[in-house]
Amino acid sequence: MTYATDDKTKKSVQTFQQFDVDTQLGLLWFGYKDIKDQLQPANETSAQDTAEALFNQIQSLSKEEQLQAQRDIASRANNDISGAYSSLSSSGKLDLWLRLAQGMDKGTVIQVPSDYELPAETKDFADMIKQLDFEQRIDFMRSAVVEMGAK
């Protein structure tokens, strides 16, 4: 299921899915940093509650386990956390990634190393994303994260 509604956004999602898991996680992080001041989450309460429960489970893990949980979700691993993620609504999935990014900002979730740089092959992709308007970026993010989780 995709939420991308125009060709530029659809192409962005297809390109994103071709990157390795750690690059996808880095791109989600930098994408969050780029739009976080414009975000005003207003998901339905049930989506927030289920996303919060999974977030709390991930947050309670060691830093290494937190990273592995994110990798497992992004790589569609067949385990409990990735399976729980799969059961979230699309709004819940987006909400979880927002909570993870906010946790990274606060230091309660493992952070991207301060010296981390995206691979050179992501430059064209990042430039393509920067050309999307805010709503297209949200559509891109939702489309990218809805495909994650155990299948």
Side-chain angles (χ1 to χ4, degrees), residues 2 4 9-17 125 139-140 143-144:
T2 183
T9 308
K10 288 176 186 175
K11 184 175 187 229
S12 300
V13 172
Q14 291 169 345
T15 302
F16 175 82
Q17 291 172 336
F125 174 79
D139 286 347
F140 160 75
S143 295

Side-chain angles (χ1 to χ4, degrees), residues 43-51 88-89 92:
N43 290 332
E44 64 270 9
T45 303
S46 62
Q48 290 177 350
D49 291 346
T50 55
L88 295 174
S89 68

